[in-house]
Amino acid sequence: MKCRVCKGAAVIDVRRHNANFCAEHFIAHCHEQVRRTIDHFSMMQPDDRVLVAVSGGKDSLALWDILLSLGYRADGLYLGLGIGDYSTESTHYSRDFADRVKGRLVEIDLLADEGFDIPTGARLARRAPCSACGLSKRHLFNRAALEGGYDVVCTGHNLDDEAAVLLGNVLRWNVEYLGRQHPVLDARPGFVRKVKPLVRLAEREMAAYCVLRGIDYQVEECPMAAGNRHIGYKEALDGIEAGSPGTKAAFFHEFLDKASHLFTPESDVVREGLLACASCGSPTTGEVCAFCRLVERATASSSNMSVPVQLGETRS
Ligand code: Q46
Ligand code: ZN
Ligand code: ZN
């Protein structure tokens, strides 16, 4: 196996590009893929202040590393979800990487700052953990970026993530989500621009990138992911990709080129007529935004429930 660029010994094959790379040229390939993605989708300008949502996993740490290598002024943002050992470890990997690159890591802790953690808060609010988690991330990333004066929030969603989400949205013809599934969500009043610069790189490539760059990352998946539908979608797409390399990239990128615009009006209808949340001021379709409703239920329920216990009452 020889490197496509230098003909030296290759360490990785990328079948959908019909190419093998040595370590040096694979790293350069990843940088180039991200540079091209940023250019193609006009994701950001060289002097933008960039906030990278960091989880301690391979994708987000690789993304932060690549953006710094490309010369962007990129800080990290870590959200502590309070998911037991998983969160303890992810904090450790995120801080370690920030120290290594001498980067600034903005930290938010759900329990300390908002009064709930994902496992307990989701149960009390009667939401699936990933639904409460996703809502919290969207709201708090946006708020942190606005408060910190950042121009753009970057997330580490890779090609496998986006193809799996697309498959799920297509299987249910979820037109609202299809309209919003784009690597760039432009800034609007109350919302900072959000971009996904890794959409041309696969999960396996991000793991290889971290290994080759000596980046320590959290290998363990979030325990709350068990039973998540996306795992099944990813496995189904992996099966197709194995027999027909390039299908996953075609599925997602051809959707962006040829079909995504057909769904945009649907999501615009939803976006129109937003009001300011009575509690936090964020744009929302109702009186109080979904995140504030979550906080209210995840925290108020816990204090309501604690009163009888403190009074020594028993519950049947
Ligand atoms: S962190 Fe959060 Fe994921 Fe864990 S609770 Fe679900 S959404 S699985 S990316
Ligand atoms: Zn080479
Ligand atoms: Zn609110």
Side-chain angles (χ1 to χ4, degrees):
M1 210 164 78
K2 288 184 176 173
C3 171
R4 174 161 93 176
V5 182
C6 69
K7 311 299 176 208
V11 296
I12 184 166
D13 62 322
V14 184
R15 288 181 66 204
R16 74 175 181 290
H17 291 307
N18 200 18
N20 307 316
F21 295 100
C22 69
E24 179 192 342
H25 291 118
F26 176 69
I27 289 164
H29 164 79
C30 293
H31 290 182
E32 179 59 12
Q33 292 295 310
V34 172
R35 194 193 61 72
R36 272 198 222 170
T37 306
I38 291 172
D39 279 2
H40 180 78
F41 293 104
S42 304
M43 287 183 166
M44 44 193 160
Q45 301 302 316
D47 57 349
D48 274 354
R49 287 194 64 220
V50 179
L51 192 57
V52 183
V54 166
S55 69
K58 61 188 182 320
D59 302 303
S60 57
L61 294 185
L63 174 60
W64 195 3
D65 187 69
I66 294 170
L67 292 177
L68 290 173
S69 301
L70 292 175
Y72 286 96
R73 296 190 295 161
D75 293 341
L77 169 62
Y78 175 78
L79 174 60
L81 302 169
I83 306 177
D85 292 346
Y86 169 76
S87 287
T88 309
E89 267 192 33
S90 64
T91 311
H92 158 80
Y93 284 107
S94 303
R95 287 181 184 164
D96 262 18
F97 182 79
D99 285 348
R100 169 185 154 145
V101 297
K102 299 187 172 44
R104 175 164 185 250
L105 185 68
V106 179
E107 293 193 35
I108 304 172
D109 187 82
L110 257 191
L111 187 57
D113 299 333
E114 302 296 335
F116 71 98
D117 58 34
I118 288 299
T120 314
R123 184 165 44 78
L124 294 173
R126 296 176 196 279
R127 288 186 79 129
C130 291
S131 152
C133 181
L135 171 59
S136 303
K137 285 177 182 171
R138 284 191 298 278
H139 185 91
L140 295 171
F141 290 171
N142 189 62
R143 188 173 82 190
L146 290 173
E147 287 177 356
Y150 290 92
D151 298 292
V152 58
V153 169
C154 294
T155 57
H157 297 92
N158 59 41
L159 174 61
D160 295 70
D161 296 325
E162 291 303 297
V165 169
L166 177 60
L167 181 60
N169 288 337
V170 167
L171 288 173
R172 288 180 171 69
W173 288 115
N174 196 331
V175 291
E176 187 201 329
Y177 289 160
L178 282 170
R180 273 191 270 145
Q181 198 184 347
H182 198 273
V184 180
L185 290 180
D186 283 327
R188 291 171 285 135
F191 294 104
V192 77
R193 191 179 345 130
K194 288 200 295 184
V195 303
K196 299 172 181 174
L198 296 186
V199 293
R200 278 185 212 268
L201 289 163
E203 203 156 292
R204 168 176 172 269
E205 290 146 33
M206 291 296 81
Y209 180 89
C210 286
V211 170
L212 294 172
R213 288 281 282 171
I215 298 172
D216 257 351
Y217 63 91
Q218 185 173 29
V219 176
E220 186 201 340
E221 297 286 342
C222 172
M224 301 275 154
N228 191 318
R229 280 200 296 259
H230 285 286
I231 293 175
Y233 298 150
K234 275 190 177 176
E235 286 170 359
L237 287 166
D238 284 345
I240 297 169
E241 181 78 12
S244 179
T247 306
K248 218 183 275 183
F251 178 52
F252 180 62
H253 288 286
E254 296 295 304
F255 161 75
L256 294 179
D257 285 350
K258 295 173 182 164
S260 132
H261 65 281
L262 301 172
F263 300 98
T264 310
E266 289 283 349
S267 56
D268 279 351
V269 171
V270 176
R271 283 181 193 170
E272 278 173 15
L274 293 180
L275 308 164
C277 167
S279 176
C280 74
S282 293
T284 174
T285 48
E287 192 183 327
V288 176
C289 79
F291 179 70
C292 288
R293 289 202 306 273
L294 170 67
V295 174
E296 197 183 330
R297 285 159 68 192
T299 53
S301 313
S302 90
S303 47
N304 285 346
M305 284 176 72
S306 67
V307 172
V309 174
Q310 284 168 356
L311 294 174
E313 290 181 11
T314 53
R315 287 177 166 274
S316 56

